[in-house]
Amino acid sequence: GLPAGDIVDMVAYGAVGTNMSVQVIGTNTAAVKNCLYVLTASLTLTLPASPAVGDMVKVSNLSGTTTAVVERNGSNIQGLAEDLTIDSINAAITLVYADATRGWVFA
């Protein structure tokens, strides 16, 4: 977890939803839909294998590194058959599954 005394700001644009869970992770993890993942180390977050339209995964990179990877797990990301590398410290992104062509898109 975060050290005592750290300040965390959360900004939401639009509805966050009541079914959004939060997981603070420091190792490679298989993501589940409708979850916010707070990254605390360099790792790979693997997106769900069989997403449905409207599924959401949020990622907040608080690891202090720029080497986090979001693995596509067979679905496109932004219409590309490529994994996503988070190359910015303190970046926060929301991915929503749109369809088989576009796959996971930034929301």
Side-chain angles (χ1 to χ4, degrees):
L2 298 172
D6 274 9
I7 298 172
V8 177
D9 292 326
M10 179 179 272
V11 178
Y13 298 97
V16 173
T18 57
N19 295 326
M20 183 70 59
S21 62
V22 177
Q23 289 191 27
V24 178
I25 59 173
T27 60
N28 295 343
T29 301
V32 296
K33 67 179 181 176
N34 303 327
C35 188
L36 164 63
Y37 291 91
V38 178
L39 313 182
T40 62
S42 294
L43 54 81
T44 298
L45 179 67
T46 303
L47 292 170
S50 299
V53 172
D55 285 354
M56 184 181 312
V57 173
K58 294 185 175 205
V59 181
S60 181
N61 182 21
L62 298 181
S63 67
T65 68
T66 58
T67 56
V69 174
V70 178
E71 186 176 276
R72 66 189 195 94
N73 203 9
S75 296
N76 288 339
I77 298 176
Q78 290 290 113
L80 302 172
E82 299 176 8
D83 294 336
L84 172 67
T85 299
I86 299 175
D87 59 1
S88 179
I89 296 173
N90 299 322
I93 61 170
T94 299
L95 294 168
V96 177
Y97 187 77
D99 58 31
T101 302
R102 288 176 273 291
W104 295 92
V105 297
F106 297 126

